Amino acid sequence: WTPAHVRAVAREFGLAPALAEQALAMARGVAQGEAAWAWDARQLSDWASEIELLDDRGELLRLDRLVRRAGTGEWWVLDHKSAAEPERQPALIEQLRHYARAVALAHPGAVVRTAFLTAEGRCVEVSP
């Protein structure tokens, strides 16, 4: 991303330049980290960000990223977190599992996997 991108982000979200730089560093960590495959169209058959999905009670959910691996057909629910260790926070784990149940409802019989993506570039898979 270029300095022009950083300025545009700062303008759009009303961020001070230092915060925009920090946001860029976090985005790079996610996009270039352990889950870089989740932005590689050659490895995916379906993908989208900021997906709205209804759960079994009709509650509207917003998923950060939903992708389907081309080789396996597995759906991955990927949740961006700025927290250093989201896998240690029960409420965040339950939220991710809730998302997985909604995706499974939309795609019966499909394998659905979940992971947190951290600003440091870690991809932390959460068991069902």
Side-chain angles (χ1 to χ4, degrees), residues 2-58:
T2 68
H5 289 113
V6 177
R7 288 191 301 274
V9 167
R11 250 190 333 274
E12 183 174 340
F13 296 101
L15 299 175
L19 285 177
E21 287 289 343
Q22 183 181 9
L24 175 61
M26 293 170 78
R28 278 190 180 123
V30 169
Q32 297 171 356
E34 295 172 354
W37 58 266
W39 282 266
D40 182 353
R42 295 169 299 179
Q43 296 187 49
L44 307 173
S45 59
D46 295 284
W47 64 88
S49 296
E50 297 297 320
I51 297 298
E52 290 185 341
L53 188 63
L54 294 176
D55 71 4
D56 60 340
R57 297 173 298 207

Side-chain angles (χ1 to χ4, degrees), residues 53-58 99-109 112:
L53 188 63
L54 294 176
D55 71 4
D56 60 340
R57 297 173 298 207
Y99 293 165
R101 288 189 299 271
V103 171
L105 184 66
H107 300 283
V112 180

Side-chain angles (χ1 to χ4, degrees), residues 29-30 33-35 83-87 115-124:
V30 169
E34 295 172 354
E85 296 182 317
E87 69 275 17
F116 292 118
L117 303 182
T118 71
E120 296 82 24
R122 292 187 316 123
C123 177
V124 183

